[in-house]
Amino acid sequence: MENKKTFVLDTNVILHDFRSIYNFEENDVVIPIVVLEELDKFKKGNDTINIQAREFMRILDRLTENCPRLEDGVPLGDGRGNLYVVGGKPFSEAMKLSFSEPIPDHKILAVAIWIKENHPEKHVVLVSQDINLRMKSRTLSMESQDYKTGKVENAEKLFQGIRLIPNTNDDFVSRLYRESSVPASESGIDAQFAPNEYFMVGDEHTNALCCYCKQDDAIRKVTKQRASGITPRNAEQSFVLDALMRPEIQLITITGKAGTGKTLLALASAIEQYRMFMQIFLSRPIVPLGNKDLGYLPGNEKQKINPYMQPLFDNLNVIKQTIGINSKASQNIDAMVRDERLLVSPLAYIRGRSLNNAFFIVDEAQNLTPHEVKTIITRAGENTKMVFTGDVEQIDSPFLDMRSNGLSYLANKMKGQDFFTHINLVHGERSRMADIAGKLLD
């Protein structure tokens, strides 16, 4: 077939999307055997990366069950090309001069170059999420590209913050403050709004905080409110708390740098509404430093996990200190933790739990894959509210970036749904020193 390509996949593509082999249309897909060797290291465990490895091996086993020689290829299905599992290939002369160690990345690159040199009729492309491997590949004149399926286009534009809309109707703001809600058609605002979109109307110095309600096709005034003793310190935080307290908004993504109040506001609103839910879950994925397993850390299981969960307990302590450590409300929080009505736990430990009638907060969601985010949300039952928070510019997973992480993917795909909203926080509120340092030391 004219223009047909042969894509050689890196291990990280499969660990990101175990069904990736089906996403190359009519083109052929090559899996170097060293990729299978690498996947073998990831097959044990309960994290997403381990699940992806196991699921891919099951798919590969089913596909190749009746194939005696995998280098000859096996069809991937109607409208798709063939899948090949290729053994190790010798390094080209250029590779021998360039690389001293036969590490897995170099072995994968060797397969791509060998196919290109021995089958000049093929258009060979190496697919990897590893920027450095792509650079090495191009240095040796081997075409390479990122794995683009599931990636958000123009992710930078998605997280620009709250809109400021000039007021062209002198009566609008006065009427909004009198009536709290004005039909969009009578606002004088010439703009398209997404459901539950938050924005400001006015100028940089004087403005009204607003939200568009699609059901009523009206613009509603947003008022500052408190939750569990926590009061918003800026307009963005007022928007976040308003969304968190509205029962009709069941899914929220909140982005922003450290110190903007994402997790604190989510937890404060959950505790404020605890009577509406049977359980509050506060969770985050564990991404060990240095890409090492938790087994490398000293202590028992709880001691290994505590350092990763401590920031969540810190937010809980801020709320208790705000309302008074010895107050009845603080004692009630302690009782909720003791009875596991408020559960702080790694995401992997919550996967099997029921998500019915729950307020579920996922912190550091930028370290999740789109597949994991989908797995979490599709398990939500009746009367469940889900909040995903994170900083898409601070990703700890080596297999994700600003465009491919689950938080960006979720915010992009859910835009326009009447049960969803996304809010970006810009202003840091930890302290004046932290805010200035964050700007000057960037």
Side-chain angles (χ1 to χ4, degrees):
M1 181 183 294
E2 191 176 357
N3 297 325
K4 185 175 181 178
K5 296 180 181 180
T6 298
F7 291 102
V8 180
L9 304 193
D10 190 3
T11 312
N12 49 49
V13 174
I14 293 165
L15 292 175
H16 177 75
D17 179 4
F18 69 88
R19 291 187 57 83
S20 57
I21 57 175
Y22 294 112
N23 293 329
F24 293 91
E25 299 176 336
E26 73 279 2
N27 303 295
D28 291 334
V29 177
V30 173
I31 306 294
I33 198 167
V34 66
V35 169
L36 302 186
E37 184 181 12
E38 289 228 281
L39 290 174
D40 197 50
K41 301 174 185 177
F42 291 98
K43 66 183 181 182
K44 294 181 181 179
N46 296 316
D47 288 337
T48 301
I49 200 169
N50 309 120
I51 296 171
Q52 299 275 27
R54 292 196 294 268
E55 288 296 329
F56 175 76
M57 296 310 298
R58 293 188 184 105
I59 289 176
L60 188 62
D61 184 49
R62 289 194 298 269
L63 274 173
T64 62
E65 192 173 23
N66 299 315
C67 181
R69 179 178 155 82
L70 299 187
E71 286 208 20
D72 293 335
V74 57
L76 284 168
D78 292 341
R80 297 188 177 97
N82 293 326
L83 172 69
Y84 301 86
V85 178
V86 177
K89 300 301 179 185
F91 281 21
S92 67
E93 288 304 315
M95 287 194 68
K96 290 177 183 178
L97 292 172
S98 301
F99 308 124
S100 58
E101 296 183 28
I103 62 175
D105 279 359
H106 298 162
K107 292 180 180 180
I108 293 168
L109 178 54
V111 169
I113 291 177
W114 185 90
I115 296 173
K116 176 185 175 182
E117 292 181 346
N118 288 269
H119 297 276
E121 77 282 0
K122 293 180 180 290
H123 182 174
V124 185
V125 181
L126 175 64
V127 182
S128 175
Q129 293 189 303
D130 185 338
I131 296 175
N132 198 38
L133 180 56
R134 297 202 301 268
M135 294 304 102
K136 291 178 180 179
S137 176
R138 292 167 192 164
T139 300
L140 298 177
S141 301
M142 178 70 239
E143 184 179 348
S144 65
Q145 67 179 48
D146 193 3
Y147 179 65
K148 299 178 181 179
T149 301
K151 288 207 168 187
V152 176
E153 295 297 330
N154 298 321
E156 294 83 357
K157 294 183 179 180
L158 181 63
F159 303 103
Q160 290 300 303
I162 314 297
R163 277 201 290 175
L164 174 63
I165 299 176
N167 181 24
T168 58
N169 183 348
D170 293 337
D171 183 55
F172 168 68
V173 173
S174 298
R175 182 180 174 187
L176 187 67
Y177 274 87
R178 287 196 313 270
E179 303 176 12
S180 296
S181 180
V182 175
S185 59
E186 300 174 18
S187 67
I189 298 175
D190 183 20
Q192 296 294 318
F193 299 110
N196 307 312
E197 181 180 355
Y198 288 87
F199 55 95
M200 294 175 284
V201 175
D203 55 41
E204 294 181 358
H205 305 289
T206 306
N207 51 65
L209 307 187
C210 305
C211 177
Y212 174 68
C213 299
K214 182 178 180 181
Q215 185 176 2
D216 303 323
D217 191 24
I219 296 174
R220 182 178 62 84
K221 179 169 69 73
V222 174
T223 57
K224 181 181 288 189
Q225 55 185 311
R226 289 166 59 91
S228 303
I230 302 300
T231 303
R233 294 186 178 183
N234 55 51
E236 301 151 6
Q237 289 190 353
S238 294
F239 290 148
V240 166
L241 197 53
D242 183 83
L244 289 165
M245 298 295 289
R246 288 171 58 189
E248 69 270 25
I249 302 180
Q250 298 172 287
L251 178 62
I252 304 171
T253 53
I254 308 171
T255 56
K257 293 185 177 181
T260 51
K262 306 180 296 295
T263 310
L264 180 62
L265 290 168
L267 182 56
S269 69
I271 294 173
E272 183 72 22
Q273 303 173 83
Y274 78 95
R275 291 185 179 87
M276 298 172 58
F277 302 94
M278 290 182 60
Q279 201 165 30
I280 297 171
F281 291 113
L282 181 57
S283 188
R284 63 178 357 190
I286 291 180
V287 183
L289 294 176
N291 219 13
K292 290 185 176 180
D293 187 80
L294 287 177
Y296 283 83
L297 297 176
N300 57 34
E301 184 179 56
K302 185 176 181 181
Q303 290 170 329
K304 293 175 189 290
I305 290 171
N306 275 345
Y308 296 96
M309 296 297 106
Q310 191 57 48
L312 303 184
F313 284 107
D314 290 344
N315 280 282
L316 194 59
N317 288 332
V318 169
I319 292 173
K320 291 169 62 178
Q321 290 170 6
T322 302
I323 60 179
I325 294 293
N326 298 319
S327 67
K328 184 176 180 180
S330 184
Q331 293 172 5
N332 185 47
I333 292 175
D334 290 335
M336 291 171 65
V337 173
R338 188 170 55 249
D339 299 338
E340 291 195 348
R341 285 180 293 142
L342 196 167
L343 184 63
V344 180
S345 179
L347 191 60
Y349 290 15
I350 291 181
R351 275 200 190 95
R353 307 281 300 247
S354 171
L355 296 181
N356 291 318
N357 196 19
F359 196 116
F360 192 21
I361 304 167
V362 181
D363 191 35
E364 302 290 347
Q366 77 278 4
N367 289 320
L368 298 175
T369 67
H371 175 75
E372 181 161 22
V373 167
K374 178 182 177 181
T375 300
I376 295 168
I377 295 177
T378 53
R379 293 183 61 250
E382 292 297 324
N383 193 38
T384 290
K385 192 181 190 88
M386 288 192 160
V387 182
F388 291 78
T389 71
D391 179 2
V392 296
E393 296 181 2
Q394 188 66 47
I395 297 173
D396 300 315
S397 171
F399 303 101
L400 301 173
D401 59 28
M402 188 175 182
R403 294 172 56 226
S404 65
N405 72 88
L407 183 58
S408 294
Y409 183 80
L410 175 62
N412 182 61
K413 289 292 185 180
M414 284 296 177
K415 184 179 180 180
Q417 299 297 323
D418 58 7
F419 57 81
F420 168 79
T421 195
H422 166 78
I423 301 171
N424 182 58
L425 296 174
V426 176
H427 298 95
E429 294 293 350
R430 278 184 177 162
S431 67
R432 180 171 175 267
M433 178 179 69
D435 192 26
I436 292 174
K439 295 175 182 176
L440 296 181
L441 304 179
D442 199 355

